[in-house]
Amino acid sequence: MVQAGTRRPPYRASPAAATSRSGLTAAIAANSINNADYAQTWNWQVTTADKDAFTFTENTASTATGHSSILKAATLATSTATPFMITNLGA
């Protein structure tokens, strides 16, 4: 970039510092996130007795008809990925 005859290096934003996410805002419309080839990992260290690290549940009993589910794992017909895997390495 040239400004008033002086060359300046292009502006590059500094990387964002890690921030805590202790809450989410309820959705008001349908949404999807395409992560492409950027895998996501969420880690927990559960130290409290009788605590679940991640829970999917209902706030009101569902009344939908047909095939409805709380959690779905799916792949495309030509995919070589396993849609769902559970590994228990503990006792």
Side-chain angles (χ1 to χ4, degrees):
M1 173 185 285
V2 177
Q3 246 181 5
T6 304
R7 282 187 137 341
R8 290 186 172 184
Y11 172 77
R12 286 185 179 82
S14 61
T19 57
S20 174
R21 300 284 183 243
S22 296
L24 297 174
T25 302
I28 57 172
N31 184 41
S32 66
I33 300 171
N34 183 346
N35 286 321
D37 194 30
Y38 302 104
Q40 306 297 307
T41 301
W42 292 11
N43 295 307
W44 283 269
Q45 180 185 11
V46 180
T47 58
T48 304
D50 301 320
K51 181 177 271 187
D52 300 313
F54 206 100
T55 301
F56 291 94
T57 187
E58 300 176 296
N59 63 339
T60 302
S62 296
T63 59
T65 58
H67 176 73
S68 298
S69 61
I70 301 299
L71 182 63
K72 178 180 180 179
T75 59
L76 297 177
T78 56
S79 177
T80 59
T82 301
F84 190 72
M85 178 182 288
I86 297 174
T87 303
N88 181 358
L89 301 176

